[in-house]
Amino acid sequence: MLKECRKHDYWDATYEDSMNLIASLPQVAAHIYRRTYHNGDIIAPNPEEDWSGNFAHMLGFEGIDFKSLMRLYLTIHADHEGGNASAHTVHLVGSTLSDAYNSFAAGMNSLAGPLHGLANQEVIKWVFEMIETLGTRTPSDDQIKKYVQDTLDAGKVIPGYGHAVLRQPDPRFVAQREFAREYIKDSEIVNIVWQLFDIVPPILQGLGKVKNPWPNVDAHSGAILVHYGLNEYSFYTVLFGVSRGLGVLAALCWSRALGFPLERPKSVTSEWLKTQLDK
Ligand SMILES: CC(C)(COP(=O)(O)OP(=O)(O)OC[C@H]1O[C@@H](n2cnc3c(N)ncnc32)[C@H](O)[C@@H]1OP(=O)(O)O)[C@@H](O)C(=O)NCCC(=O)NCCS
């Protein structure tokens, strides 16, 4: 259908596709979750609920606290500035006038990388491995310090820490910590996340190369989900993706409405490169 559109009418079809996609995402994601982890016991949507409440319901979580968590989660993961890999991928693919479905799918492939959205799974996996290795769910600060150092010595990054743009604790981390302080008492996993918040930044600062030693959005989310019983962490990036749909698809509508051009990195000639090297 888009092929037949005049360029300046694309926003209309993009808007319609985006609205349909945003409306469907929770149901598609919940279907995958129930099919993969709960014997295909699918839960029908409840039209009385809002977008996030309905998502929680279809996943199989009815508690008011979990629904508040989903509302927070789906809000803070939507997007923050458009330059991150998944948002930028949606923008890039959309700039070819590919439709909203193809553009969003491309962005999700980008979100799946461990330096990006997969980090929310990597964090909890790393914490569980720490618990297993140390043989305790209540490790001391010294035990955690050593585990962090061992991870770095193995040539790996500390998941959930660092950011390409932010230079302070991620406000989305702080929002989740506030939520946990208010709603969650005495969770050993949440306590480990809070210990890490004290322990990791000075270690990363000591490396002398990390531009932002502070936690990002992914450092906290897994511990809270585990607290509420959503333990299947290989699903966490799907949750992230549902939320990201809100931000990137809204941006896609604006890109078409404003007639943004096909995006392409600038190419340079060998001569230009030689001149730069000579300089
Ligand atoms: C998010 C991230 C990819 C940003 O990358 P970036 O913009 O290149 O970050 P920096 O400029 O600070 O990187 C400089 C160096 O510090 C390292 N560094 C950055 N964050 C690090 C971390 N959490 N643990 C260990 N080393 C880290 C980088 O790997 C790089 O090392 P190199 O020069 O040997 O390759 C990076 O911080 C990272 O890998 N974090 C862990 C994964 C994560 O949590 N991703 C989710 C992001 S929201």
Side-chain angles (χ1 to χ4, degrees):
M1 176 176 118
L2 281 178
K3 277 197 306 231
E4 290 150 23
C5 259
R6 289 187 308 165
K7 195 176 168 195
H8 64 259
D9 290 333
Y10 264 71
W11 71 267
D12 197 359
T14 306
Y15 176 72
E16 193 182 333
D17 283 350
S18 296
M19 293 301 277
N20 286 337
L21 187 46
I22 289 169
S24 311
L25 280 174
Q27 196 167 2
V28 172
H31 191 98
I32 293 167
Y33 177 74
R34 300 295 302 181
R35 202 182 133 151
T36 309
Y37 306 109
H38 293 275
N39 303 319
D41 177 14
I42 308 299
I43 301 172
N46 176 359
E48 300 300 313
E49 296 271 11
D50 61 28
W51 193 64
S52 49
N54 196 25
F55 186 32
H57 159 74
M58 289 186 289
L59 288 171
F61 294 83
E62 295 299 350
I64 294 293
D65 287 5
F66 187 83
K67 287 186 177 167
S68 297
L69 171 66
M70 262 310 108
R71 208 162 285 125
L72 173 70
Y73 188 102
L74 295 179
T75 305
I76 61 178
H77 286 78
D79 197 7
H80 50 98
E81 39 72 49
N84 63 79
S86 53
H88 183 69
T89 306
V90 175
H91 176 76
L92 171 68
V93 175
S95 83
T96 69
L97 300 183
S98 201
D99 69 30
Y101 295 93
N102 287 320
S103 306
F104 182 69
M108 290 303 94
N109 288 326
S110 175
L111 195 71
L115 296 186
H116 193 24
L118 199 76
N120 71 356
Q121 301 182 182
E122 298 283 303
V123 169
I124 203 70
K125 184 164 169 271
W126 180 73
V127 169
F128 283 144
E129 283 165 4
M130 178 196 301
I131 288 169
E132 175 97 16
T133 306
L134 300 178
T136 172
R137 290 172 71 89
T138 54
S140 68
D141 286 358
D142 282 341
Q143 283 178 304
I144 294 181
K145 267 182 207 161
K146 182 169 180 323
Y147 193 79
V148 169
Q149 195 56 56
D150 287 347
T151 302
L152 292 171
D153 291 346
K156 299 177 188 163
V157 295
I158 306 301
Y161 280 77
H163 200 273
V165 178
L166 292 171
R167 296 295 175 256
Q168 60 182 26
D170 191 326
R172 300 167 299 173
F173 172 89
V174 177
Q176 293 176 86
R177 190 181 53 172
E178 291 308 307
F179 179 94
R181 277 183 178 154
E182 190 173 340
Y183 290 99
I184 300 176
K185 310 291 172 214
D186 299 326
S187 155
E188 288 161 341
I189 310 288
V190 169
N191 283 341
I192 291 176
V193 167
W194 292 349
Q195 278 174 284
L196 287 166
F197 181 47
D198 292 330
I199 291 168
V200 172
I203 296 178
L204 290 183
Q205 256 154 353
L207 296 179
K209 63 176 183 179
V210 181
K211 295 197 193 69
N212 176 43
W214 299 108
N216 58 54
V217 65
D218 297 321
H220 213 317
S221 51
I224 304 181
L225 292 167
V226 165
H227 171 78
Y228 285 110
L230 208 166
N231 296 309
E232 301 89 354
Y233 59 76
S234 57
F235 186 73
Y236 289 178
T237 304
V238 181
L239 290 177
F240 193 157
V242 170
S243 166
R244 185 123 303 189
L246 268 187
V248 298
L249 290 167
L252 193 69
C253 293
W254 278 111
S255 298
R256 297 291 68 78
L258 297 169
F260 284 170
L262 175 68
E263 193 179 281
R264 194 181 201 289
K266 188 163 176 53
S267 302
V268 295
T269 61
S270 313
E271 273 319 304
W272 183 90
L273 269 179
K274 279 187 209 145
T275 317
Q276 300 306 310
L277 288 173
D278 288 345
K279 278 188 199 162

